[in-house]
Amino acid sequence: MKRLTMLWAAAGFFLVVVIVPPIAHAQNPESTPQRSGVTSKDLVVNEVDGTANLAFTVLDVKYEPEGINRRHFHPAALTFYLVSGTMVFQEDGKESITLEPGDSLLVPAGTTHSHWNPSKTEGARFLEFIVAEKGKGRSIRKP
């Protein structure tokens, strides 16, 4: 009987410790920064002549070693052109793509994706081209 009691006590401990995660260690995705080790600078922001409400933006985006831009999407299509370093692009539900200098990648509007610099020692840099309705081309976070 004593052995059976110890077995039940061990099973209860297992359920509490292993299956029920401690509340103090719960992670809130909203508290995790969208981007880490990433800076961007607008190089060009112009209205598109002959249109009612379109803007053309070129961003210079720099990633520190292991910099990341977590899951997000853009309401407009965009194109990446890798200037230096190596970047990994991951579209939800697809294999990741590694980009090298000189590579470009078209990302359709609404595509949920993330991208990061896999290097532990070298930075990476790309140009990002967006044509969208004024004020509607920037990224929107996804949990």
Side-chain angles (χ1 to χ4, degrees):
M1 183 69 164
K2 186 175 183 181
R3 183 174 181 194
L4 186 57
T5 303
M6 289 177 65
L7 183 61
W8 279 109
F13 177 77
F14 176 78
L15 286 171
V16 171
V17 172
V18 176
I19 296 176
V20 180
I23 294 172
H25 292 96
Q27 298 234 351
N28 178 0
E30 295 299 318
S31 66
T32 303
Q34 175 62 38
R35 301 184 329 169
S36 300
V38 181
T39 57
S40 63
K41 175 183 173 186
D42 291 350
L43 296 179
V44 177
V45 179
N46 283 330
E47 294 181 9
V48 177
D49 291 339
T51 67
N53 195 28
L54 287 179
F56 176 78
T57 304
V58 179
L59 298 162
D60 184 0
V61 185
K62 296 178 182 174
Y63 280 67
E64 295 174 6
E66 299 183 318
I68 185 169
N69 192 348
R70 292 171 180 80
R71 292 180 75 233
H72 64 283
F73 72 95
H74 302 262
L78 59 100
T79 301
F80 295 118
Y81 176 85
L82 195 66
V83 175
S84 62
T86 300
M87 291 292 298
V88 177
F89 174 87
Q90 177 71 59
E91 181 178 337
D92 276 8
K94 295 190 176 180
E95 293 289 321
S96 62
I97 298 169
T98 300
L99 302 172
E100 302 290 338
D103 289 344
S104 62
L105 178 68
L106 172 66
V107 181
T111 302
T112 299
H113 63 282
S114 58
H115 33 87
W116 62 91
N117 176 0
S119 175
K120 294 181 183 304
T121 59
E122 294 182 34
R125 178 180 175 208
F126 64 79
L127 298 178
E128 184 173 323
F129 301 85
I130 307 169
V131 178
E133 286 183 49
K134 290 180 190 173
K136 296 190 177 180
R138 302 301 172 124
S139 67
I140 299 170
R141 181 182 184 133
K142 293 279 281 210

